[in-house]
Amino acid sequence: MSRLLYAVITGVFGAVLLHIIIILGIPHFTGKDAYTRVVAEGAPFVFHRLEVKPDTTGLSSLDPYMRVAVCHFDISRQPLSLVALGSGSFWSISLYDKDSNEVFSMNDRTSVAGDVDVLLATPVQIAQLRKTPIPALAQTILVEHRGTTGYAVLRSMVAQPSFEAEAREFLAEAECLPFTGR
Amino acid sequence: MFRVPLLIALTLIIAFGGGILSSLSALNASVGFGAIRIGVWSAFPAAQTAEADPYAKAHRAKAGRLLYGSAEGLTFTASADDAGQRLTGTCTYRLSGRTPTARLWTLYAADGDGLPLVASADLPTSLNSQTVLRQHDGTFSVTISPTAKAGNWLALPDTGAFSLVLTLLDTPAAGSTGLIGLDMPGIETLGCGNE
């Protein structure tokens, strides 16, 4: 009888251990986390528009009033420059690392002059930029990213159908390019 | 003779069965710890950050959503009315009150996977802070019903259980958890079926 009890207790301990391993391990091998899906959208350094209906990667804009574009990047060689001309209505941008942890986020009210102008760089690249400042970057928001890969999500709100064209243009003209000097 | 292998088999069944089932149920049951709850609404202001707990991270990786950053907004969901009954597509509800401070908000009904429900392109299946009609004191009241209603109407398609998603955009609420004193709209059941 006591052996049966031992077996059950050992089993419960094993279950707890396995539970912890599964919960901690899942982020590394689901294969359908946000970063993997964004990468599956297509080429890097381009904003990909998302539709209301989930596309083949499973990503969608979700909120009926939000138009969303995503872009994935690798800044190991050059910083990433995110530029878009503000449309007047609400927009927001957020940057995530490859584990989908937020690195930086802002909206049109927290931006300079209502435009998207962000430079994402590694600590080494930031140090280099500080050493030899580029005048064109005086208004740019510098963001430090400890990793090298990740993705950016750009959202624009369409509160009423008449804002649609503006939001489409805003997302279509947004740039997500490696920074090669201005 | 077979007692020892039997005991080992029992141990392994409990370990693997219990471990896998408990993990699955934990991931399906909740988005993690650290929720802020106001009435029937709940939100996870830290779900997209590196400080999120392991359950939130596992859930996030499994769902694969594009979450809102802290400067973008905060998403509240409700899947029950004020009395604690699950929201179902055959009933009529009234959502009334005010939202916490936010520049804008959007409201839509979502299915079990969190995707917006679409009734028909011509019906109002979503509302936002700019299109909603308000009372003198700034509060608003939205009737959520499968049949047409006067005033603010959120159309429901033919659906079973659903949830309401209220997204606050550019809100100080996302940056703090000191939300407890703030108001969220209440959800009251007006009737079910053809009443």
Side-chain angles (χ1 to χ4, degrees):
Chain A
M1 197 57 217
S2 70
R3 292 173 94 190
L4 185 72
L5 197 68
Y6 273 131
V8 170
I9 290 172
T10 315
V12 169
F13 267 111
V16 170
L17 203 67
L18 199 65
H19 178 87
I20 294 170
I21 291 171
I22 290 174
I23 295 295
L24 290 180
I26 274 181
H28 303 286
F29 54 80
T30 52
K32 50 181 184 178
D33 60 299
Y35 177 67
T36 310
R37 288 181 172 180
V38 172
V39 168
E41 281 285 327
F45 300 112
V46 181
F47 271 114
H48 301 278
R49 261 293 305 274
L50 301 180
E51 301 301 324
V52 180
K53 289 259 159 64
D55 55 19
T56 49
T57 64
L59 287 178
S60 68
S61 58
L62 273 186
D63 196 306
Y65 294 110
M66 284 294 175
R67 303 293 170 264
V68 183
V70 291
C71 161
H72 62 101
F73 53 80
D74 182 350
I75 55 167
S76 52
R77 286 165 165 274
Q78 260 145 1
L80 175 79
S81 166
L82 294 153
V83 181
L85 276 179
S87 57
S89 54
F90 177 87
W91 59 257
S92 66
I93 188 165
S94 52
L95 302 168
Y96 294 90
D97 66 9
K98 65 175 174 38
D99 298 324
S100 301
N101 291 319
E102 183 186 348
V103 176
F104 175 75
S105 69
M106 66 184 262
N107 59 54
D108 56 334
R109 289 275 170 93
T110 51
S111 69
V112 180
D115 299 327
V116 183
D117 189 2
V118 178
L119 192 81
L120 185 75
T122 61
V124 176
Q125 290 162 350
I126 292 262
Q128 283 168 351
L129 284 169
R130 292 253 158 83
K131 220 158 63 180
T132 51
I134 302 172
L137 292 181
Q139 297 271 300
T140 305
I141 296 170
L142 294 181
V143 181
E144 191 174 301
H145 181 25
R146 298 200 169 277
T148 55
T149 52
Y151 62 96
V153 183
L154 185 63
R155 293 181 165 94
S156 181
M157 189 179 183
V158 177
Q160 276 161 342
S162 55
F163 290 100
E164 185 77 50
E166 218 174 44
R168 277 181 183 279
E169 198 183 350
F170 170 72
L171 294 182
E173 292 186 354
E175 284 181 353
C176 167
L177 292 171
F179 180 76
T180 50
R182 285 184 192 168
Chain B
M1 183 183 159
F2 286 115
R3 270 185 74 183
V4 173
L6 200 71
L7 287 175
I8 292 172
L10 179 72
T11 307
L12 289 177
I13 288 169
I14 293 176
F16 279 89
I20 292 169
L21 289 179
S22 66
S23 305
L24 283 177
S25 67
L27 288 179
N28 289 334
S30 119
V31 183
F33 302 106
I36 45 177
R37 290 178 206 285
I38 308 172
V40 292
W41 302 91
S42 61
F44 298 87
Q48 82 286 6
T49 62
E51 286 84 50
D53 60 87
Y55 286 95
K57 283 188 175 169
H59 191 274
R60 175 171 93 185
K62 195 163 154 280
R65 290 275 176 71
L66 300 172
L67 300 172
Y68 283 96
S70 49
E72 301 192 279
L74 184 63
T75 301
F76 282 87
T77 51
S79 51
D81 68 2
D82 287 339
Q85 301 288 319
R86 287 186 69 84
L87 302 175
T88 55
T90 51
C91 296
T92 298
Y93 300 94
R94 182 194 290 139
L95 179 134
S96 58
R98 60 175 81 238
T99 65
T101 316
R103 228 169 96 201
L104 298 156
W105 51 258
T106 69
L107 173 73
Y108 62 89
D111 63 10
D113 296 327
L115 293 172
L117 292 168
V118 183
S120 153
D122 300 328
L123 297 179
T125 52
S126 53
L127 282 168
N128 67 49
S129 55
Q130 299 197 345
T131 58
V132 77
L133 306 170
R134 292 171 193 268
Q135 271 121 38
H136 297 296
D137 55 356
T139 61
F140 60 90
S141 166
V142 178
T143 311
I144 299 150
S145 169
T147 51
K149 300 285 180 221
N152 295 311
W153 172 44
L154 193 77
L156 283 178
D158 195 11
T159 177
F162 69 96
S163 57
L164 289 169
V165 180
L166 181 67
T167 307
L168 304 175
L169 297 167
D170 193 7
T171 171
S176 75
T177 48
L179 253 180
I180 310 305
L182 295 177
D183 284 351
M184 283 292 282
I187 303 170
E188 181 192 346
T189 304
L190 296 180
C192 288
N194 290 320
E195 290 170 58

